[in-house]
Amino acid sequence: MAKAKAKFSYRPAPGRLIVKPLEQTERTEGGLYLPESAKERPQLGEVVAYTVSRRDDGTANEPLCEIGDTIFHSKYGGTEVKIGGDDFLILREDDILAVQQ
């Protein structure tokens, strides 16, 4: 999967990131189609904007991910927002559970 290089028009607050949720499959492994009401909230997303947090002395923490990375985030973390008709999540750095390598 190619990483997104487009510039995003919003910059999140320090220690936050904006994620584009990745679509969930429409069918189960057995081939059954899932109605919208049965789908769970996606936990995978692509990072479109990211600002690292800062320590008390003002120095930046080590970044956990980069723009374009696919992350696994906490199920109910973050705030859902619509930007330009697309759905995004604004998450805290603490909501990142794993970064795909």
Side-chain angles (χ1 to χ4, degrees):
M1 183 166 126
K3 291 186 177 184
K5 296 292 182 191
K7 185 167 176 82
F8 193 69
S9 61
Y10 289 87
R11 185 181 69 231
R16 307 243 194 250
L17 58 153
I18 301 175
V19 174
K20 175 77 176 157
L22 296 178
E23 293 298 319
Q24 185 177 341
T25 60
E26 303 261 333
R27 295 193 307 175
T28 65
E29 290 180 17
L32 299 174
Y33 285 93
L34 293 171
E36 286 295 319
S37 60
K39 291 182 183 177
E40 293 186 10
R41 183 175 178 192
Q43 288 181 266
L44 284 176
E46 180 183 355
V47 178
V48 295
Y50 179 54
T51 305
V52 295
S53 60
R54 300 214 171 258
R55 297 184 188 105
D56 290 336
D57 64 3
T59 59
N61 283 328
E62 190 70 30
L64 297 174
C65 59
E66 297 177 3
I67 294 173
D69 282 351
T70 299
I71 64 162
F72 189 79
H73 58 83
S74 58
K75 191 171 203 163
Y76 297 107
T79 302
E80 295 175 345
V81 295
K82 263 198 188 302
I83 301 171
D86 292 323
D87 293 324
F88 294 93
L89 284 172
I90 299 177
L91 301 167
R92 301 175 66 103
E93 278 182 324
D94 295 345
D95 290 328
I96 298 173
L97 302 176
V99 179
Q100 186 178 27
Q101 294 190 22

